[in-house]
Amino acid sequence: MRPGHPEVPAPGRLRLLWLLPVQAALMVGVGLLVTGPLADQWPLAAEDAVDRGLAAHRGGPALPLSQWLSLLAGTPSIIALTVLAVAALLALSRGRWLREALFLAGAVAAQSAVFLLVTLLVERPRPHVAQLDAAPPTSSFPSGHVGAAVALFGGLAVLAVLRHRPGRPWLRHALAAVLLVIPVLVACSRLYRGMHHPSDVVGGLLNGACTLLVLAHAVLLPVRTRTPSHTAGATATAAPTADRYRSRPGPGPGRRPAVVVRHPHCTPQLAEHVGDALRRHGYADQVWTKTSAEHPAGALARRIDEEDPALVVACGGDGTVRACADLLAHTGIPLAVVPCGTGNLLAHNLRLPTDPYAALEAALSGETAHIDVGRVLGDGPRAARFTVMAGAGFDAAMVAGASERVKRRLGWAAYAVSAARHLGDPRMRLSIRLDGGPARERRARMVVIGNVGTLQGGLPLLPDARPDSGRLEVVLLDPRGIRGWLGAAGHLLARVLPGGPVPGPGGSQGPVAGGALEYFSAVRVDIRFTRPQPRELDGDVMAAGTRLTAEVEPGALLIRVPPRTPYAPGERTVRPRTAPAGEPARRIPDFDRG
């Protein structure tokens, strides 16, 4: 399966749809028993008394509520709601949730087909009480309203449990519980309004539930395949190239798999090494997915839902890492970074080796730490998270101007080439608001909001930035003329040279270098521009806009970092402290420093 493309049900699973005729036959059999030999037996013999008792106590707010519930489960409403739900699933996922849409639409349609067939073969009159709704010319058994409500709202509950992003299980289970209550309320309303006997609504519940069970196994649930034991050796030595790759299960943590997200920059040789290294560290069960321009994390969202992985490995640059981190935040699933992109700034700030082979080994043999992520809002693109920096103005124009061809040839130096072309870009007029405080009017060529602060070559653009500080650091760059550019460059380079200043917490706040740089620190940063400006997120270009709002999510991401080692004199990169071996990872808001 090519990454970024919707998955369709496996042909072998579709054969399970033959169970629907079996379901219809069983429902017909139950209906004939209810209207035949069991009609005079308890509890069916007591149903008339239940109908009369409910009819005798009608009144109050229960009447309009029961009417609303009956309308909600009526044929026009069910069709309209199903169409809207299917359209929403396809639109929100950009077509990736095709199986979910087929499951929901198929469940509603299949339930209706079984219902119509049963009512043709089973004749049961309506209860002998005053009926508050117009009775369609169908048998009272089973209840079509109840069956349709189970198929639609029960199907949505199934999707809420199986397809909701992990990390907040109480939320998805609460949503599923609310959805499952609706068919029960519909059943009560149909009894209350004299439209069905109790056994009719039970038949409707049974019909809808059986339809969901069949459709879930035929369309929705994933097919889990394992490499046969006699081919495992060959598989282990081959570089994984398919979106889904499996090797034999091994002694990994709880036998949960590792998901590997592979950018095209990850060569077949590196991919083979990643697979071998994971097996050596106990992750013999592996799932691979390739990235694409439309899906920078590949099929990771689906893999998280289906596999509940013990580890996610991002083989790519900061853009790939950012896309993975966006999905992994608050899930408790750790991320290991294999830097093979242009920038690799997060890996550099976490003291991972620049060599991807050594970085993977350091991450797998190291420790698990909590780091913060930033969450960006603004006009235009949807909310997204970043692990390194978000920026606007000169910074974003530089990123946008670096072509893929030049980046492949020059690496991160391609950004320097692009920066030279944008030195003369006009300054921006903006207002910045920190933690809901008063707006501050400024002019600047560039604004950068950082979770970490060191650029390539150890250049400390945001010297106070620490990835577990619980805060975001901001810098405005506004040099005036050649003297201003030289002053800003000299201020930054002074911190790289041996013996240069090492800032303490808050040591870089306010204007420096004659006002060419101005630093701020906050939990939430709101920036408004007078004109649309180019924006970027961890090296990924965003649409131009007039707003950039970022807030920190403290300790939201679990990430694998190298084992603790002493710092060399003058070293400037930082790494979050982690829990001792054997203890769970926890966020500690201070850092080792060189």
Side-chain angles (χ1 to χ4, degrees):
M1 185 72 61
R2 290 163 55 191
H5 287 251
E7 294 186 5
V8 297
R13 284 292 182 88
L14 289 177
R15 297 191 187 101
L16 294 174
L17 294 178
W18 69 266
L19 291 173
L20 290 174
V22 175
Q23 174 188 332
L26 291 175
M27 290 298 302
V28 169
V30 172
L32 294 177
L33 289 175
V34 168
T35 58
L38 299 182
D40 297 328
Q41 304 295 322
W42 191 91
L44 297 179
E47 288 190 317
D48 289 339
V50 174
D51 296 330
R52 291 192 296 268
L54 290 174
H57 292 85
R58 292 172 182 164
L63 271 176
L65 177 60
S66 67
Q67 182 181 19
W68 182 84
L69 287 167
S70 288
L71 290 174
L72 178 66
T75 300
S77 300
I78 291 294
I79 293 176
L81 291 174
T82 302
V83 171
L84 287 175
V86 169
L89 286 171
L90 295 176
L92 293 176
S93 68
R94 297 182 181 179
R96 291 184 296 110
W97 290 352
L98 178 60
R99 287 198 303 177
E100 287 79 352
L102 289 175
F103 162 72
L104 190 63
V108 174
Q111 180 281 144
S112 300
V114 173
F115 160 74
L116 290 174
L117 179 61
V118 174
T119 57
L120 289 175
L121 300 176
V122 177
E123 296 184 5
R124 191 181 199 193
R126 302 280 174 179
H128 299 294
V129 296
Q131 296 163 11
L132 301 184
D133 295 331
T138 56
S139 170
S140 183
F141 180 91
S143 170
H145 282 65
V146 174
V150 173
L152 175 57
F153 298 105
L156 290 173
V158 171
L159 295 181
V161 172
L162 295 183
R163 293 295 181 262
H164 193 284
R165 281 174 58 183
R168 295 181 181 178
W170 62 268
L171 181 60
R172 55 180 174 178
H173 290 113
L175 177 60
V178 171
L179 290 168
L180 290 175
V181 167
I182 295 177
V184 177
L185 295 177
V186 170
C188 294
S189 73
R190 300 302 285 171
L191 291 175
Y192 185 79
R193 300 181 70 80
M195 303 308 299
H196 292 287
H197 304 281
S199 57
D200 300 335
V201 298
V202 172
L205 292 170
L206 182 62
N207 184 33
C210 289
T211 305
L212 288 179
L213 186 63
V214 172
L215 266 294
H217 281 82
V219 177
L220 187 62
L221 297 182
V223 180
R224 295 182 179 270
T225 58
R226 304 282 180 177
T227 302
S229 58
H230 65 276
T231 62
T235 304
T237 59
T241 56
D243 175 62
R244 185 177 180 85
Y245 168 87
R246 284 283 195 177
S247 59
R248 297 174 59 194
R255 292 188 179 273
R256 293 160 59 198
V259 174
V260 183
V261 179
R262 180 184 173 188
H263 189 275
H265 286 173
C266 178
T267 64
Q269 294 77 14
L270 178 57
E272 181 179 348
H273 176 82
V274 170
D276 291 341
L278 286 172
R279 279 186 286 274
R280 289 198 310 271
H281 286 270
Y283 298 97
D285 192 5
Q286 300 167 21
V287 181
W288 289 69
T289 179
K290 281 187 176 180
T291 69
S292 65
E294 297 79 13
H295 302 286
L300 179 60
R302 181 181 296 279
R303 300 309 177 212
I304 292 174
D305 287 336
E306 293 179 352
E307 310 292 347
D308 186 25
L311 177 72
V312 171
V313 181
C315 300
D318 287 317
T320 302
V321 173
R322 184 201 66 77
C324 294
D326 194 13
L327 297 172
L328 292 175
H330 305 289
T331 66
I333 301 172
L335 174 67
V337 177
V338 180
C340 52
T342 305
N344 306 317
L345 289 181
L346 181 64
H348 176 66
N349 279 269
L350 295 179
R351 292 189 42 153
L352 285 166
T354 57
D355 177 71
Y357 298 89
L360 175 63
E361 196 62 37
L364 294 179
S365 61
E367 303 161 317
T368 303
H370 281 282
I371 67 170
D372 307 334
V373 296
R375 186 168 182 265
V376 163
L377 307 169
D379 52 329
R382 67 173 181 85
R385 296 182 174 92
F386 66 94
T387 60
V388 181
M389 299 174 188
F394 172 76
D395 175 55
M398 174 188 67
V399 170
S403 69
E404 290 297 324
R405 181 176 59 86
V406 177
K407 285 193 289 185
R408 283 194 298 268
R409 291 184 178 181
L410 302 181
W412 65 266
Y415 293 123
V417 175
S418 176
R421 296 199 301 265
H422 292 280
L423 289 176
D425 287 358
R427 300 160 67 204
M428 304 178 294
R429 297 187 63 177
L430 60 91
S431 64
I432 180 171
R433 190 186 301 270
L434 307 173
D435 295 330
R440 311 182 192 197
E441 303 296 328
R442 294 290 190 274
R443 285 179 177 266
R445 295 186 181 276
M446 176 182 79
V447 55
V448 173
I449 305 170
N451 186 45
V452 297
T454 303
L455 303 180
Q456 282 87 359
L459 192 68
L461 178 63
L462 294 163
D464 287 343
R466 301 291 183 271
D468 69 348
S469 64
R471 301 182 68 81
L472 296 172
E473 304 301 322
V474 186
V475 61
L476 299 181
L477 175 68
D478 189 29
R480 310 288 179 87
I482 296 179
R483 179 177 296 181
W485 282 106
L486 292 176
H491 177 82
L492 296 175
L493 290 173
R495 299 176 181 275
V496 182
L497 300 175
V502 178
S508 298
Q509 300 306 302
V512 296
L517 296 163
E518 186 173 9
Y519 290 95
F520 306 95
S521 179
V523 173
R524 179 184 173 93
V525 182
D526 296 282
I527 301 175
R528 292 182 179 270
F529 307 99
T530 57
R531 294 184 300 174
Q533 299 295 336
R535 298 171 296 181
E536 62 91 11
L537 205 63
D538 283 1
D540 289 337
V541 179
M542 301 168 58
T546 59
R547 290 178 52 205
L548 186 64
T549 299
E551 56 187 5
V552 70
E553 295 183 351
L557 180 65
L558 272 178
I559 197 160
R560 299 290 298 177
V561 296
R564 273 172 285 192
T565 55
Y567 278 73
E571 199 163 7
R572 292 294 185 271
T573 52
V574 293
R575 180 175 59 82
R577 293 178 182 166
T578 53
E583 294 186 14
R586 57 191 176 91
R587 179 176 173 273
I588 305 174
D590 63 330
F591 284 78
D592 295 320
R593 292 187 176 86

